[in-house]
Amino acid sequence: MRNLRAATAALLLLGFSTPADAAPVFSARSMFFDVANGTQRVAVGDVDGDNRPDYVATHGTLSFGVTLFWGEGDGSYGSKLTLTAAANPKDVVIADMNGDGRKDLVVSNSGAASVSVFPATGVRTFGARVDYPAGNQPASIAVGDLDGDGDQDVVIANQVVTGTVSVLLNVAGVLAGPSGYGTSSSTPIQVALGDLNADGKLDAVTANSSSSSISVLLGNGNGTFGTATTFASGNGTYSLALARLDGDTNLDVAVANNNVDSLNVMMGNGAGGFGR
């Protein structure tokens, strides 16, 4: 196993089992993975098909890249691979973008106004990076089938004051677009996808940092979205997660608020709206 150094960017805290009535805890065992200056985001998934989780991190201060740590199945990694990215890579998502059964990487590039796909060509190998235009300062990425054709489409939150998301539809492994949609709020910093109104179509939710709100764009099922509806959240809304939190069938949202050091939960009403 690699010697994991202390002055690094990615930290894992490994859980261990406790009695059923005990609070969940993490062991004192931790691992630091040496990435690079300016580490941004991390994704976890089985990239190489060996049934072990791998780790993927973007970085972009002195050099622009995406580093994959090939997991050993015990929390550690055996080797790593760094791919050259476009300017200022931010978010990264693991997904099969061309239907060949291999996991590809999708990366947003804030400094290049683009999104890149790194196509997997074999076990731990990738083809040439393919860049597609996106909106200004693309930050967060979400992928899902927006138009019902079975391909993974891409939605990007563009971290600008004007507030937009970009949609790139996947046509047989090639991304087309982008199409832009306003969020009716400033500085969307994260986007998530989910069916908020139980119509079988994916909707988009953005966390809007400057306007302290979230925006909902209901999907039409053909790769397009309707007009955004905004809901007030906490001051400095920075990130969000969708889940069913109160036992009903509606998706709810948990929101992190950077300026007031808080987390608030907003319950979904099943029609695409949220209450605080």
Side-chain angles (χ1 to χ4, degrees):
M1 185 179 76
R2 285 184 60 90
N3 178 27
L4 303 177
R5 302 189 305 180
T8 54
L11 167 65
L12 296 180
L13 296 174
L14 302 181
F16 63 91
S17 60
T18 59
D21 59 347
V25 295
F26 287 93
S27 71
R29 181 185 176 209
S30 63
M31 298 183 183
F32 290 88
F33 291 8
D34 200 0
V35 186
N37 288 332
T39 304
Q40 295 291 317
R41 306 283 176 87
V42 62
V44 178
D46 182 10
V47 179
D48 57 2
D50 64 356
N51 296 315
R52 300 171 180 174
D54 306 304
Y55 314 98
V56 187
T58 58
H59 46 90
T61 299
L62 298 180
S63 62
F64 303 137
V66 181
T67 297
L68 298 95
F69 299 86
W70 304 113
E72 294 288 278
D74 60 357
S76 70
Y77 74 99
S79 61
K80 65 181 181 179
L81 170 69
T82 297
L83 306 171
T84 301
N88 299 114
K90 289 290 185 183
D91 203 6
V92 57
V93 172
I94 302 166
D96 180 2
M97 298 301 294
N98 55 7
D100 65 355
R102 302 186 181 108
K103 295 297 179 63
D104 312 304
L105 306 179
V106 186
V107 177
S108 60
N109 308 299
S110 179
S114 69
V115 61
S116 300
V117 175
F118 294 85
T121 56
V123 178
R124 301 186 179 184
T125 61
F126 291 85
R129 185 187 83 215
V130 182
D131 298 329
Y132 299 95
N136 191 21
Q137 296 182 40
S140 170
I141 301 174
V143 300
D145 185 6
L146 301 178
D147 53 5
D149 65 356
D151 295 326
Q152 296 294 298
D153 307 304
V154 178
V155 181
I156 306 166
N158 300 308
Q159 192 177 339
V160 290
V161 173
T162 50
T164 63
V165 295
S166 296
V167 175
L168 293 93
L169 294 180
N170 188 338
V171 182
V174 177
L175 298 182
S179 299
Y181 296 86
T183 61
S184 300
S185 294
S186 300
T187 321
I189 197 168
Q190 187 180 0
V191 63
L193 295 176
D195 184 1
L196 303 179
N197 56 357
D199 64 354
K201 304 166 185 175
L202 286 178
D203 311 304
V205 187
T206 63
N208 309 310
S209 178
S210 296
S211 58
S212 300
S213 66
I214 65 172
S215 295
V216 172
L217 295 91
L218 295 180
N220 296 317
N222 59 1
T224 66
F225 289 99
T227 302
T229 303
T230 300
F231 301 87
S233 53
N235 190 1
T237 300
Y238 199 80
S239 67
L240 58 81
L242 294 173
R244 292 180 175 86
L245 301 175
D246 58 355
D248 62 17
T249 59
N250 304 329
L251 278 176
D252 310 303
V253 62
V255 183
N257 307 301
N258 186 55
N259 292 348
V260 290
D261 303 327
S262 71
L263 173 73
N264 66 287
V265 175
M266 304 167 69
M267 298 304 176
N269 62 11
F274 293 98
R276 295 183 67 183

